[in-house]
Amino acid sequence: MIVNYDKCLHCGGCAGSCPKNAIFLNDYILVFNDDCNRCGRCVRLCPVQALALEARA
Amino acid sequence: MKTYECDVVVVGAGPGGSMAAKFCAEGGLDTILIEKKAEVGAPLRCAEGVSKKWLEEVGIALDPLWIRADMIGAVIKSPDGTQFKLDESKAGTEVGYVLERHLFDKALARDAVAAGSKLMMRTSCTGVIREGGRVVGIKVKSMGEEAEIRAKAIVAADGYESQVGRWAGIDTNVKLNDLNSCIQYRMVNCDADMEYCEFIIGRSIAPGGYLWIFPKGNGVANVGIGVMGPLCKGGEPKEYLDRFLAIDPRFKDSQAVEVAAGFVSTCPGLDCAVDDNIILVGDAARIIDPLTGGGICHACRTGMYAGKVLVEAAAKGDFSKASLMPYEKMWRDRMEDKLYRNWMAKERLAELDDETINELVRLISTSDIEEVNVYNLLKTVKEKFPKVVEGFEHLI
Ligand SMILES: Cc1cc2nc3c(=O)[nH]c(=O)nc-3n(C[C@H](O)[C@H](O)[C@H](O)COP(=O)(O)OP(=O)(O)OC[C@H]3O[C@@H](n4cnc5c(N)ncnc54)[C@H](O)[C@@H]3O)c2cc1C
Ligand code: SF4
Ligand code: SF4
């Protein structure tokens, strides 16, 4: 996951909306774990478009 | 690794967590309240509007320190500008104060501490500890150090993120339809009416949600928007809010001094908010008004109920799910019908196009409602627009 910290308002909304519970807001920093299944929900929901999926390796 | 022992550990020092900690500590329980942020009540994730009546119910004494503005009414507007203005005589319980949330939350945390709770700041819960199939505590990172807090029971008051419950095996996931992605600016030097809270509904303004203007006096107002999950494709909340502010003449000479984001769930609460050794409160339990997104009073109430039930459970020495179930009954008896009704109303409102919303607001503004609250509004809608309330008429 690519986080644009110039946009992110660290609201935790993506963490609370992730169906895999794969995001942790460490106050100002988002930590993503391996449970992410790339569903894209967090990307579309972020109110300020701070998230983007990385291209698949 | 450092280990703390206590009767109850409360995760999150928002209104729900502080109230739970206060009632646990008052009841003689050894209570630890943890908060991951560096400041209680900040950054803001709230429009700060509350009604007046519930404060007494949860034993919070009014303090001018955290009351920023006293509302005399509310305005509901549709996209074509049709508006319905309620003054105080008719506004009933739906309008009230605009708070200073960062001071309100700190006041509640202070009450929790005064009652005897230990408050640990900059302390994140990162998981739960299980032994013999039971949750026996939480893992934390406190000021950068890993530690364990062992407790007989956990109160998950971690707000919308609601991860503690999930780590403990309770499904707190919300459906896309049952959430709103929100953004809010604190506008200064604006021309908004400083005595009325304003709600603007309609798809072209706030898809599946609403736009709010909650004044804080002296030309200051919280102006924000919530957009329903399925209608967010990428960045809509900010786009719609920016568009509104660029057009509305009241904000021509106004600028934002604060930007805040946040999400609200809009479902009628979890199927069950307790399990062995754990209770979920407030936003973490998804107990928040699905129509208005108002959750401060729900968090305070559920925090209070959780504290009371845990004190009784401690007296019996039994923190099993069965022993904690009175909590489930308390919040449902008090709030379930209204949550369900407002959830249905939210679902229906989201389906209506701008024209219908215009007509709906026109109809309400010309009908003679004695005391205006969601219940009476829905009653009027039921008479004139029965289709909108189909399926939940019995609750109106
Ligand atoms: C944009 C917006 C506008 C709103 N406007 C209103 C309004 O006008 N009126 C109203 O009544 N309600 C409003 N609400 C809802 C209201 O803010 C919430 O319902 C209320 O704050 C819920 O209280 P809580 O104690 O359950 O959770 P919160 O207030 O969210 O507190 C949760 C706390 O837990 C902490 N936490 C989270 N995870 C962890 C962890 N792992 N470890 C340690 N700590 C953790 C967080 O940092 C936070 O301090 C609004 C919400 C949003 C998003
Ligand atoms: S939803 Fe967006 S703004 Fe909020 S924490 Fe996630 S990335 Fe940041
Ligand atoms: S893409 Fe889906 S699974 Fe991955 S972090 Fe975002 S919401 Fe969670």
Side-chain angles (χ1 to χ4, degrees), chain A residues 1 18-20 22-23 32 35-42 53:
Chain A
M1 194 68 60
C18 170
K20 304 300 288 180
I23 313 176
F32 296 81
D35 292 338
C36 168
N37 65 2
R38 299 174 56 90
C39 72
R41 198 191 240 213
C42 56
L53 281 170

Side-chain angles (χ1 to χ4, degrees), chain A residues 3 7-15 23 25 30 32 42 45-51, chain B residues 261-263:
Chain A
V3 188
K7 288 185 174 179
C8 173
L9 294 164
H10 27 83
C11 69
C14 49
I23 313 176
L25 173 67
L30 291 169
F32 296 81
C42 56
L45 288 178
C46 172
V48 291
Q49 270 198 300
L51 298 175
Chain B
F263 283 45

Side-chain angles (χ1 to χ4, degrees), chain A residues 17-18 21 23 25 27 45, chain B residues 36 122 160 163 166 181 232:
Chain A
S17 308
C18 170
N21 203 9
I23 313 176
L25 173 67
D27 206 351
L45 288 178
Chain B
K36 78 168 153 188
R122 207 86 168 121
Y160 180 80
Q163 297 186 289
R166 287 189 270 181
S181 169
C232 290

